[in-house]
Amino acid sequence: MDGPGDPPEGTPEGVPAGGDDEYRSVVFDESFVRAARLQELSASERMGDHALAVRNRHLWSRVSTSRQVIVLVILIALAFGTAVYMGLRHPYKDPVVPVAEPMRATLVPLAPHDPVPGGSAQELFDRSSAAQFRLGAEGVNLPAARSTQHFSESQVMAALAAAKEYTVKSALDPAVLTGGAQRTVRLLLDPAQLDQFDRSFDRPVDDGRHAATGWLVRFDPAQVALVDTPVRTRGVFSIAESGPATLEVSADHTFVYALRPAKEAADRSANADKSSLFTVRRVMKFRFDREGLQEHHLIVVQSYVQAGPESCSADDEVYLRPLLAGQQPDGSVPGATDPYATGSATAAVCGSLAVGAQPAPPGR
């Protein structure tokens, strides 16, 4: 009888039989083979625990990707915050732009020693120091614009152009001169000065801050009328930096007006015998910052006005008060002041017109 581990056909030839067969350990008996049946998993079983491992690995991959995105967002936020912090604390500070200061006005009436000469406007101009002046805005000439240390040539030109526009509108516009609307002048001002400007016309006071005649030249239309002939004008502009963020333009101009009494305004002829000349010298200082240059706005820093012939007692914070042909000042007359002279304008409460500042009598 064959042993339990022998094949059914018996032991092959040449292969020794017995318990010492070296391959006996790898030969499976029939009971082992029956017990080791292969079993194929169903589809639902394959989708069970085995599929769960695959899904878990996929979920973990998505979690890792999300964490990477979160870390990246945090790094970007930190970098942006650092850049903003360094930008706010950088050592190079922008120049400080000064706040618009109130306009300071000085009005000096110039009184004549003799009665005011009268005649036709043309004859009066020909006999006066204004004979060589230019007509109207032609006498308001700009210098060549050159760049400064902190401002370009175009910015300097913009400042000069705004200063010229203010000068022309405030001293040559007939509507302004006769006490009309001052809106054209107001539009040129920095918004910070509008309250002071408005108060100067609504509630004018001779306090060096709120005189309407500090902002512009104007006459009382109930007393004075303009003769229909051009104003004679001469003057200069100069420009300088007052700091890295501001430009200052100085304007020194003399204007000579032909006037007559308002009651004779119906006679528009320039040859009327009741005409007289009135001279105004204005020294204005304007300031500009970069925003003002872009917006075409200026700040009036200072206004120094000499005007005559007037009486020293003239109340001229609302209107200038000219002495007309044949009139003479009331009260005493101080030392002579020449409004046609150039150079530094000296401060005074009242002055007197120099002899050459009025038209020479006919025949001289």
Side-chain angles (χ1 to χ4, degrees), residues 64-78:
S64 287
T65 303
S66 299
R67 288 181 177 176
Q68 292 176 0
V69 172
I70 293 173
V71 170
L72 182 60
V73 170
I74 292 175
L75 290 176
I76 293 174
L78 288 174

Side-chain angles (χ1 to χ4, degrees), residues 112 114-119 124 127 259 273-277 309 323-327 353 358-362:
D114 302 315
V116 177
L124 293 173
R127 300 198 310 264
L259 307 175
D273 292 338
K274 293 295 185 179
S275 298
S276 60
L277 300 186
L323 294 173
L324 301 177
Q327 296 179 340
L353 280 172
Q358 294 198 76

Side-chain angles (χ1 to χ4, degrees), residues 231-301:
V231 179
R232 301 309 195 261
T233 309
R234 184 181 68 181
V236 294
F237 289 97
S238 60
I239 192 163
E241 286 190 8
S242 58
T246 54
L247 279 174
E248 282 192 354
V249 177
S250 296
D252 186 350
H253 291 82
T254 299
F255 306 93
V256 185
Y257 305 89
L259 307 175
R260 71 177 59 176
K263 63 183 179 180
E264 300 178 8
D267 182 3
R268 306 300 294 176
S269 173
N271 296 319
D273 292 338
K274 293 295 185 179
S275 298
S276 60
L277 300 186
F278 187 76
T279 303
V280 176
R281 181 189 177 190
R282 290 204 313 170
V283 181
M284 308 287 291
K285 182 180 290 186
F286 307 106
R287 181 172 294 161
F288 299 85
D289 56 34
R290 299 183 189 278
E291 182 179 355
L293 290 173
Q294 293 178 351
E295 300 294 333
H296 200 62
H297 288 156
L298 54 78
I299 298 169
V300 181
V301 178

Side-chain angles (χ1 to χ4, degrees), residues 33 50 115 133-134 180-181 231 234 343:
V33 172
H50 297 280
F133 285 16
R134 295 194 175 186
V231 179
R234 184 181 68 181

Side-chain angles (χ1 to χ4, degrees), residues 4-191:
D6 294 335
E9 296 83 3
T11 301
E13 294 182 0
V15 178
D20 56 347
D21 183 4
E22 60 179 330
Y23 298 103
R24 180 173 296 276
S25 60
V26 297
V27 177
F28 303 107
D29 58 13
E30 185 178 356
S31 61
F32 178 82
V33 172
R34 289 194 187 101
R37 287 177 302 175
L38 296 175
Q39 182 178 1
E40 184 178 358
L41 296 174
S42 66
S44 60
E45 289 174 331
R46 287 198 301 271
M47 294 296 293
D49 295 338
H50 297 280
L52 181 60
V54 176
R55 286 198 299 271
N56 286 342
R57 287 195 297 272
H58 180 67
L59 180 61
W60 176 254
S61 175
R62 287 191 296 177
V63 171
S64 287
T65 303
S66 299
R67 288 181 177 176
Q68 292 176 0
V69 172
I70 293 173
V71 170
L72 182 60
V73 170
I74 292 175
L75 290 176
I76 293 174
L78 288 174
F80 180 76
T82 302
V84 171
Y85 176 79
M86 294 301 294
L88 293 176
R89 294 183 60 85
H90 70 83
Y92 305 102
K93 297 182 179 179
D94 295 331
V96 177
V97 179
V99 178
E101 59 186 81
M103 184 270 291
R104 304 186 304 276
T106 302
L107 304 175
V108 180
L110 303 180
H113 290 273
D114 302 315
V116 177
S120 71
Q122 188 59 52
E123 290 177 353
L124 293 173
F125 278 126
D126 291 342
R127 300 198 310 264
S128 74
S129 300
Q132 304 303 317
F133 285 16
R134 295 194 175 186
L135 305 182
E138 295 178 1
V140 186
N141 298 314
L142 295 179
R146 295 183 176 85
S147 61
T148 63
Q149 182 177 358
H150 299 97
F151 291 86
S152 66
E153 180 179 330
S154 62
Q155 290 174 319
V156 172
M157 191 65 226
L160 288 170
K164 176 179 179 177
E165 184 176 359
Y166 186 97
T167 301
V168 170
K169 289 183 175 180
S170 64
L172 295 174
D173 184 351
V176 173
L177 293 175
T178 55
Q182 60 273 0
R183 184 173 181 273
T184 56
V185 177
R186 187 180 188 274
L187 290 175
L188 296 173
L189 293 175
D190 187 282

Side-chain angles (χ1 to χ4, degrees), residues 174-218:
V176 173
L177 293 175
T178 55
Q182 60 273 0
R183 184 173 181 273
T184 56
V185 177
R186 187 180 188 274
L187 290 175
L188 296 173
L189 293 175
D190 187 282
Q193 283 194 319
L194 294 181
D195 287 343
Q196 183 188 8
F197 181 86
D198 292 339
R199 180 181 170 185
S200 299
F201 290 87
D202 296 337
R203 301 185 303 279
V205 180
D206 187 14
D207 60 356
R209 292 287 189 274
H210 301 94
T213 47
W215 300 96
L216 46 82
V217 177
R218 66 199 309 243

